[in-house]
Amino acid sequence: MEDVYRLYKSMKIIHNYINGKLSKPKNSNYIRVFNPSTGKAYAKCPDSSFTDLNNAIASANNAFILWSKKSNEDRSEILLKIAHELHKNREKFALAETIDNGKPLNDSRNIDIERSINNLKFFASAIINNSSESHSLPGNVINYTLRDPLGIVACITPWNYPLHLLTWKISPALMMGNCVIAKPSEVTPMTAYLFSKLCIKAGLPKGVLNIIYGAGNNIGDEIVKHPKIKAISFTGGTKTGKTISKTASSLLKKVSLELGGKNPIIIFDDCNYDEMLNTTVRSSFGNQGQICLCGERIFIQESIYNKFKKDFVKETKKLKIGNPLKSDTNQGAIVSKEHYTKVLAYFDRARESGAKFITGGKSKSVKGTCSKGWFIEPSIIENLDRNSDCYKEEAFGPVTSLHKFKNKEEVIAMANETKYGLSASIWTSDLSTAHQIAKDIEFGIVWVNAWNLRDLRTPFGGMKDSGLGREGGNESMRFFSETKNVCINYD
Ligand code: NAD
């Protein structure tokens, strides 16, 4: 497997995808792209300018008339062709995601690429199974509701699930008849670039999807401000989300914001212990803790606190950190040097506030090819002051903290004492406890005896500082459309 690094030895150049073609940025500016597991730059992606954006907008504008008038079946067929191409090339994409992001190859295969294919297939099917609404009034009056495409929309995505989140947004946008300007994260642009090649191969009409790369505060901001862009679907950090929301609201643009979280995992002493323990290791350290749904605060009922602490540390220590290409690796590299430094600085701040690391709490050196990579040990904190910044802020790394609780009332208050409201997991075998807590906690996604169990039809998104709006199934299709009600009096 180490031979793979040779494949990626020569510098790869990523191109924008504009008007159906791969093109260089007009300003010839590029951003270096790193392999996090080796710490070396292996590719460069465009740092696009307003000219590139304008070209993309012009091509989307030209494509819109034909694309929006195509039947749902025709649009669906093209998306299915892309899904088919992705399926054929899934191993190549999994490898590219791992080299670009640092995550274990098994995760890229079984989660990232698998879910990307599912996203494409799901929305290709959803559009042809979509139903319209009609409401009748007494007498001869009937209403029907049309959902028209918006025009040109933007999809801006982060680095933690690069292709998965790109396909999650562009699929409903395209199926509703819109043309799309997508901007993947400049930290992990590779699979989006490979995807644009698949779109060309599958015959996606030119201009329907344009993918441009570059720094968020530069081209990202230009995208948000552009008068031709009618809606922005954004996934990323809360701070960025607030900046985007400010600009977009002054221009009366539609926005959907999927932002950060500080999610609670609530464990009662009557839960299915083994299942809870296994899942809690995943919900803490999956994707090196770089999942918006990861549980960074674990609340444990006091009667099982000591047992859980001992078992959780033991299971966490079993996680194998290292070369993400190796099949037995569970923990790969942190996505970038900048993020690695940020997570380690969070550890320092936690220590300064009096917290104790009962395992981890430091970087990990890996021998061989990955000796210059950015690795951090899965870390568990105890005695984290609930008034400290570290308790309140998202770390977005392989770290979680343990807290004791006595009863339902206390844990509901603790779970809610955060500005975030993305997701929560409740572990109990008492149905009434599960229902009561699910009702009283302020999180957009609540799992009972599960974590990250996804049904693409369900509403996905957070409350409070975790976002605005929901994605998934009909929620996504509605976001990417303009609603028109027609009321007819046929008396
Ligand atoms: P980020 O906010 O730094 O960047 C996300 C994207 O926005 C990137 O493409 C970036 O280039 C772009 N961007 C940055 N500044 C911009 C601006 N001013 N205008 C327009 N675009 C801009 O986030 P990140 O570090 O890439 O991702 C990590 C964050 O994403 C975490 O907070 C995580 O919780 C969150 N996240 C949330 C979800 C969810 O569904 N709620 C899913 C995944 C990740």
Side-chain angles (χ1 to χ4, degrees):
M1 257 307 188
E2 301 248 329
D3 284 354
V4 166
Y5 291 117
R6 273 203 284 279
L7 245 175
Y8 280 85
K9 215 168 168 186
S10 61
M11 189 58 106
K12 307 263 174 226
I13 300 178
I14 289 170
H15 296 298
N16 284 328
Y17 172 47
I18 297 175
N19 201 24
K21 291 197 198 84
L22 302 175
S23 57
K24 293 179 181 165
K26 289 286 177 253
N27 57 13
S28 302
N29 288 347
Y30 287 90
I31 297 171
R32 286 196 302 166
V33 180
F34 290 84
N35 174 343
S37 65
T38 63
K40 289 188 188 137
Y42 81 100
K44 53 185 193 173
C45 82
D47 192 8
S48 306
S49 66
F50 189 66
T51 313
D52 303 304
L53 174 61
N54 257 347
N55 290 341
I57 297 273
S59 80
N61 214 23
N62 288 338
F64 180 68
I65 296 177
L66 280 181
W67 182 249
S68 59
K69 298 242 172 330
K70 268 192 191 300
S71 68
N72 290 342
E73 285 74 12
D74 284 351
R75 286 200 294 266
S76 166
E77 210 168 293
I78 295 176
L79 204 64
L80 286 175
K81 271 192 198 152
I82 301 173
H84 179 66
E85 287 297 326
L86 183 54
H87 182 77
K88 274 202 307 197
N89 289 283
R90 60 194 183 282
E91 197 54 29
K92 177 176 162 188
F93 272 78
L95 192 55
E97 205 68 292
T98 285
I99 298 282
D100 210 31
N101 174 283
K103 62 179 74 195
L105 184 55
N106 278 338
D107 289 359
S108 294
R109 261 187 206 124
N110 303 325
I111 303 173
D112 292 71
I113 306 308
E114 184 73 20
R115 288 193 176 193
S116 302
I117 297 168
N118 287 344
N119 290 340
L120 298 163
K121 284 188 183 165
F122 174 83
F123 284 107
S125 157
I127 191 66
I128 50 178
N129 291 298
N130 200 14
S131 54
S132 49
E133 298 126 75
S134 159
H135 307 272
S136 60
L137 281 172
N140 294 326
V141 177
I142 188 149
N143 290 274
Y144 61 87
T145 309
L146 298 173
R147 298 200 186 273
D148 295 329
L150 294 165
I152 306 173
V153 298
C155 299
I156 303 179
T157 45
W159 48 253
N160 65 332
Y161 282 101
L163 190 67
H164 167 43
L165 292 174
L166 177 79
T167 50
W168 174 240
K169 289 185 187 294
I170 64 164
S171 302
L174 294 173
M175 287 305 90
M176 292 309 285
N178 303 286
C179 289
V180 175
I181 309 292
K183 198 208 84 64
S185 169
E186 62 277 27
V187 181
T188 53
M190 186 53 85
T191 45
Y193 172 55
L194 299 177
F195 184 78
S196 61
K197 293 186 179 184
L198 291 192
C199 292
I200 297 172
K201 192 155 179 226
L204 183 70
K206 62 180 185 182
V208 166
L209 170 65
N210 299 273
I211 307 181
I212 56 178
Y213 306 86
N217 57 6
N218 175 18
I219 196 63
D221 186 49
E222 296 289 0
I223 291 173
V224 175
K225 284 192 301 213
H226 202 290
K228 283 276 182 189
I229 289 184
K230 301 290 178 220
I232 298 124
S233 175
F234 170 79
T235 297
T238 295
K239 198 167 159 222
T240 316
K242 285 185 178 175
T243 306
I244 290 177
S245 169
K246 209 166 160 190
T247 311
S249 63
S250 70
L251 299 166
L252 285 184
K253 295 186 184 204
K254 253 182 147 175
V255 274
S256 160
L257 302 172
E258 297 296 334
L259 311 175
K262 191 79 182 175
N263 312 305
I265 306 290
I266 301 170
I267 302 170
F268 283 89
D269 59 8
D270 64 353
C271 69
N272 176 336
Y273 189 83
D274 292 343
E275 170 112 23
M276 173 279 296
L277 186 64
N278 272 334
T279 310
T280 304
V281 173
R282 280 196 301 119
S283 67
S284 306
F285 305 117
N287 208 31
Q288 296 67 248
Q290 302 163 129
I291 310 178
C292 56
L293 308 166
C294 274
E296 289 195 11
R297 300 177 300 149
I298 307 182
F299 300 110
I300 308 117
Q301 200 159 26
E302 58 185 3
S303 48
I304 57 163
Y305 182 88
N306 287 337
K307 176 176 167 48
F308 173 79
K309 175 178 148 182
K310 187 167 139 264
D311 294 339
F312 187 49
V313 169
K314 189 171 154 204
E315 291 307 309
T316 300
K317 283 186 171 164
K318 287 185 191 162
L319 294 174
K320 196 143 184 242
I321 315 164
N323 188 338
L325 294 173
K326 289 194 175 160
S327 58
D328 60 347
T329 296
N330 313 109
Q331 292 282 293
I334 301 296
V335 74
S336 66
K337 180 136 194 223
E338 189 192 0
H339 193 59
Y340 165 87
T341 311
K342 196 170 146 197
V343 175
L344 292 177
Y346 175 95
F347 287 4
D348 291 341
R349 285 194 290 133
R351 271 191 201 92
E352 280 159 21
S353 75
K356 184 178 155 210
F357 281 83
I358 51 177
T359 188
K362 56 184 191 303
S363 60
K364 164 92 181 167
S365 59
V366 171
K367 290 201 179 98
T369 330
C370 296
S371 61
K372 298 242 160 49
W374 305 308
F375 295 88
I376 293 181
E377 290 186 7
S379 307
I380 305 171
I381 308 181
E382 217 185 9
N383 300 335
L384 181 61
D385 180 351
R386 301 207 334 263
N387 289 311
S388 69
D389 277 2
C390 293
Y391 180 79
K392 293 178 183 160
E393 290 302 327
E394 181 189 45
F396 213 54
V399 58
T400 189
S401 59
L402 308 187
H403 309 268
K404 259 182 223 172
F405 73 88
K406 285 194 180 63
N407 53 34
K408 281 187 266 191
E409 292 67 33
E410 188 184 19
V411 80
I412 290 168
M414 287 162 96
N416 285 342
E417 63 187 1
T418 167
K419 65 180 180 181
Y420 294 108
L422 187 55
S423 74
S425 280
I426 306 163
W427 291 92
T428 178
S429 53
D430 183 326
L431 206 56
S432 77
T433 299
H435 281 300
Q436 190 193 334
I437 296 191
K439 186 168 171 295
D440 290 347
I441 56 177
E442 298 157 352
F443 296 87
I445 305 158
V446 178
W447 283 289
V448 176
N449 299 328
W451 172 78
N452 205 358
L453 185 60
R454 294 279 294 120
D455 175 334
L456 303 190
R457 294 167 299 182
T458 60
F460 181 96
M463 303 176 179
K464 294 151 81 176
D465 270 16
S466 290
L468 209 60
R470 296 292 182 272
E471 295 185 330
N474 289 336
E475 303 276 346
S476 294
M477 319 258 282
R478 286 187 177 184
F479 176 76
F480 286 117
S481 60
E482 192 70 81
T483 306
K484 185 191 284 168
N485 191 69
V486 182
C487 176
I488 304 175
N489 179 355
Y490 58 96
D491 215 4

